[in-house]
Amino acid sequence: MSSHSIFSKIINRELPSYIVCEDKQNIAFLDINPSAIGHTLIVPKLEVDNIFTLNENLYNSLFSFAKKVANNMKKKITCNRIGMSVVGLDVPHAHIHLIPINSFEDMNFNKSPLKLTNEEMLNICKLLKFNA
């Protein structure tokens, strides 16, 4: 079976990524075009285009996993809170954005992404990495 979305390729280790955490059903990795330091994507391992078509168990698992990742992020990154967004238009694979924020404007997806080096991304990944 071949992978279709870029996220499935990350899940199957066909593409490199900065994986923060994973469990049997979900994976968290850094967004390569981050809005803020620590911007993380929460993705179900099952490739489904629309988050609301996930069955109830997978949907609940995804949001429970996102909560664990967000709580870990809040402990390790100085910010007011961790913002959450589900847009679903950029990649045809359900996902949640977790973004460290200090104001509502920090959730603006129209602003230019941060330009981070591979070393900076590795350091952020190392900071946020944990076992679920």
Side-chain angles (χ1 to χ4, degrees), residues 6-25:
I6 191 169
F7 292 165
S8 288
K9 291 177 182 179
I10 289 170
I11 291 162
N12 293 326
R13 307 312 198 260
E14 296 169 16
L15 289 175
S17 64
Y18 304 96
I19 297 172
V20 171
C21 183
E22 69 180 306
D23 65 15
K24 288 173 111 177
Q25 297 174 318

Side-chain angles (χ1 to χ4, degrees), residues 1-4 12 14 47:
M1 182 173 175
S2 66
S3 301
H4 297 286
N12 293 326
E14 296 169 16
E47 185 174 325

Side-chain angles (χ1 to χ4, degrees), residues 92-132:
H93 191 137
H95 59 285
I96 299 169
H97 293 263
L98 296 180
I99 304 171
I101 61 172
N102 292 303
S103 72
F104 185 74
E105 290 303 313
D106 294 337
M107 290 295 293
N108 182 349
F109 287 93
N110 290 323
K111 69 181 183 179
S112 295
L114 299 177
K115 304 278 190 225
L116 301 174
T117 66
N118 181 57
E119 184 177 353
E120 290 170 319
M121 293 291 282
L122 287 170
N123 288 336
I124 296 164
C125 186
K126 184 177 177 181
L127 171 70
L128 295 179
K129 198 173 228 25
F130 77 106
N131 294 320

Side-chain angles (χ1 to χ4, degrees), residues 47-64:
E47 185 174 325
V48 173
D49 182 17
N50 186 326
I51 199 165
F52 298 116
T53 61
L54 286 168
N55 72 45
E56 191 164 343
N57 287 338
L58 291 176
Y59 180 87
N60 290 336
S61 171
L62 183 68
F63 276 86
S64 177

